[in-house]
mmCIF file of all heavy atoms in Angstrom:
data_model
loop_
_atom_site.group_PDB
_atom_site.id
_atom_site.type_symbol
_atom_site.label_atom_id
_atom_site.label_comp_id
_atom_site.label_asym_id
_atom_site.label_seq_id
_atom_site.Cartn_x
_atom_site.Cartn_y
_atom_site.Cartn_z
ATOM 1 N N MET F 1 86.104 183.111 18.549
ATOM 2 C CA MET F 1 86.915 181.847 18.396
ATOM 3 C C MET F 1 87.604 181.892 17.104
ATOM 4 O O MET F 1 88.561 181.042 16.894
ATOM 5 C CB MET F 1 85.921 180.703 18.427
ATOM 6 C CG MET F 1 86.355 179.627 19.482
ATOM 7 S SD MET F 1 85.163 178.203 19.527
ATOM 8 C CE MET F 1 84.528 178.454 21.157
ATOM 9 N N MET F 7 87.021 175.743 12.092
ATOM 10 C CA MET F 7 87.384 174.272 12.074
ATOM 11 C C MET F 7 86.210 173.362 12.578
ATOM 12 O O MET F 7 86.370 172.166 12.690
ATOM 13 C CB MET F 7 88.614 174.020 12.944
ATOM 14 C CG MET F 7 89.895 174.549 12.277
ATOM 15 S SD MET F 7 91.394 173.988 13.187
ATOM 16 C CE MET F 7 91.408 175.141 14.496
ATOM 17 N N ARG F 22 92.094 169.963 32.199
ATOM 18 C CA ARG F 22 93.328 169.198 32.271
ATOM 19 C C ARG F 22 93.052 167.707 32.725
ATOM 20 O O ARG F 22 93.551 166.813 32.101
ATOM 21 C CB ARG F 22 94.234 169.894 33.379
ATOM 22 C CG ARG F 22 95.422 169.029 33.712
ATOM 23 C CD ARG F 22 95.920 169.503 35.038
ATOM 24 N NE ARG F 22 96.452 170.900 35.068
ATOM 25 C CZ ARG F 22 96.576 171.692 36.165
ATOM 26 N NH1 ARG F 22 96.346 171.195 37.316
ATOM 27 N NH2 ARG F 22 97.081 172.889 36.088
ATOM 28 N N GLU F 34 102.314 166.861 27.208
ATOM 29 C CA GLU F 34 102.350 168.145 28.009
ATOM 30 C C GLU F 34 102.913 169.260 27.183
ATOM 31 O O GLU F 34 103.953 169.093 26.411
ATOM 32 C CB GLU F 34 103.213 167.939 29.320
ATOM 33 C CG GLU F 34 103.161 169.207 30.128
ATOM 34 C CD GLU F 34 103.804 168.926 31.512
ATOM 35 O OE1 GLU F 34 103.994 167.778 31.957
ATOM 36 O OE2 GLU F 34 104.027 169.994 32.178
ATOM 37 N N ILE F 62 92.812 167.059 20.779
ATOM 38 C CA ILE F 62 91.822 167.387 21.831
ATOM 39 C C ILE F 62 92.639 168.342 22.861
ATOM 40 O O ILE F 62 93.667 167.969 23.349
ATOM 41 C CB ILE F 62 91.407 166.162 22.550
ATOM 42 C CG1 ILE F 62 90.526 165.311 21.568
ATOM 43 C CG2 ILE F 62 90.463 166.554 23.816
ATOM 44 C CD1 ILE F 62 90.171 163.954 22.084
ATOM 45 N N HIS F 70 83.779 182.841 29.527
ATOM 46 C CA HIS F 70 82.992 181.529 29.663
ATOM 47 C C HIS F 70 83.803 180.395 30.055
ATOM 48 O O HIS F 70 83.353 179.190 29.894
ATOM 49 C CB HIS F 70 82.397 181.309 28.186
ATOM 50 C CG HIS F 70 81.470 182.369 27.755
ATOM 51 N ND1 HIS F 70 80.262 182.606 28.388
ATOM 52 C CD2 HIS F 70 81.682 183.272 26.774
ATOM 53 C CE1 HIS F 70 79.693 183.696 27.738
ATOM 54 N NE2 HIS F 70 80.557 184.111 26.784
ATOM 55 N N PHE F 73 86.986 175.361 27.669
ATOM 56 C CA PHE F 73 86.303 174.295 26.884
ATOM 57 C C PHE F 73 87.323 173.291 26.486
ATOM 58 O O PHE F 73 88.480 173.565 26.303
ATOM 59 C CB PHE F 73 85.678 174.821 25.550
ATOM 60 C CG PHE F 73 84.554 175.934 25.846
ATOM 61 C CD1 PHE F 73 84.865 177.115 26.341
ATOM 62 C CD2 PHE F 73 83.268 175.625 25.515
ATOM 63 C CE1 PHE F 73 83.860 178.079 26.601
ATOM 64 C CE2 PHE F 73 82.228 176.470 25.773
ATOM 65 C CZ PHE F 73 82.596 177.763 26.261
ATOM 66 N N ARG F 85 103.853 167.724 14.638
ATOM 67 C CA ARG F 85 104.691 168.755 15.448
ATOM 68 C C ARG F 85 104.552 168.463 16.957
ATOM 69 O O ARG F 85 105.579 168.528 17.612
ATOM 70 C CB ARG F 85 104.156 170.181 15.168
ATOM 71 C CG ARG F 85 105.007 171.258 15.685
ATOM 72 C CD ARG F 85 104.641 172.618 15.029
ATOM 73 N NE ARG F 85 103.328 173.180 15.597
ATOM 74 C CZ ARG F 85 103.255 173.892 16.677
ATOM 75 N NH1 ARG F 85 104.417 174.266 17.383
ATOM 76 N NH2 ARG F 85 102.136 174.364 17.129
#
Side-chain angles (χ1 to χ4, degrees):
Chain F
M1 232 180 250
M7 288 190 281
R22 170 201 295 163
E34 185 171 341
I62 298 172
H70 302 292
F73 296 70
R85 191 167 73 89

